Amino acid sequence: MATSIEIKKATLRDRIVVDVDVWMDDPEDHDFSPRARMTGGQLHIHNQGREDVFSTFDLEDEMQIVAERDRLIELRIKFGVHGMHGKLTHKTPLPRSGPNSKKLAESRWKTLLPLEISS
């Protein structure tokens, strides 16, 4: 289950593209089903079944027009797991020769998400 959702940025291309960071407690947890809703000028993204874990973002006027026209957004999700994807405290001076020369794999999704519009 997702413990936190954070919208990093929203950009306008052919459609609205939203970059999101999602943090989980367990790497074996696969229970994430994102939902998007627009209320007024705010975009809300939450996990289905968990209304308490959500993130909001204020959309610009042009983005609101495109969102109402398309009724979908492109969601790019970067997953992180607490305890695995933290910050390194001891860095190797020459990363090419040290034991920490490889990065941990980062799970990413890219999906089209229908947008529910409410007033």
Side-chain angles (χ1 to χ4, degrees):
M1 186 70 62
T3 57
S4 69
I5 300 171
E6 180 184 354
I7 297 176
K8 288 294 193 182
K9 67 177 179 176
T11 56
L12 183 60
R13 296 192 181 151
D14 293 338
R15 59 180 147 249
I16 296 176
V17 178
V18 181
D19 291 335
V20 176
D21 282 353
V22 176
W23 286 91
M24 313 289 241
D25 278 334
D26 183 18
E28 296 298 320
D29 189 7
H30 304 287
D31 187 18
F32 181 66
S33 182
R35 299 291 183 254
R37 182 179 69 236
M38 188 173 85
T39 306
Q42 284 192 328
L43 175 68
H44 304 274
I45 295 183
H46 64 91
N47 190 10
Q48 181 183 15
R50 291 277 312 261
E51 299 295 325
D52 58 334
V53 179
F54 67 92
S55 184
T56 60
F57 187 83
D58 292 326
L59 295 176
E60 298 170 2
D61 293 336
E62 192 174 334
M63 288 181 176
Q64 291 178 28
I65 294 169
V66 172
E68 290 173 358
R69 180 193 71 196
D70 294 344
R71 299 207 178 243
L72 64 88
I73 61 171
E74 181 176 323
L75 196 64
R76 298 190 302 191
I77 306 167
K78 177 182 160 189
F79 288 100
V81 178
H82 292 292
M84 286 180 66
H85 295 101
K87 295 187 178 188
L88 290 175
T89 55
H90 305 291
K91 293 185 179 179
T92 306
L94 282 170
R96 288 175 278 152
S97 63
N100 298 330
S101 60
K102 293 185 180 179
K103 291 175 55 179
L104 283 173
E106 293 177 342
S107 178
R108 296 177 185 260
W109 274 8
K110 186 176 177 182
T111 185
L112 293 176
L113 195 61
L115 183 63
E116 175 188 332
I117 299 177
S118 57
S119 350

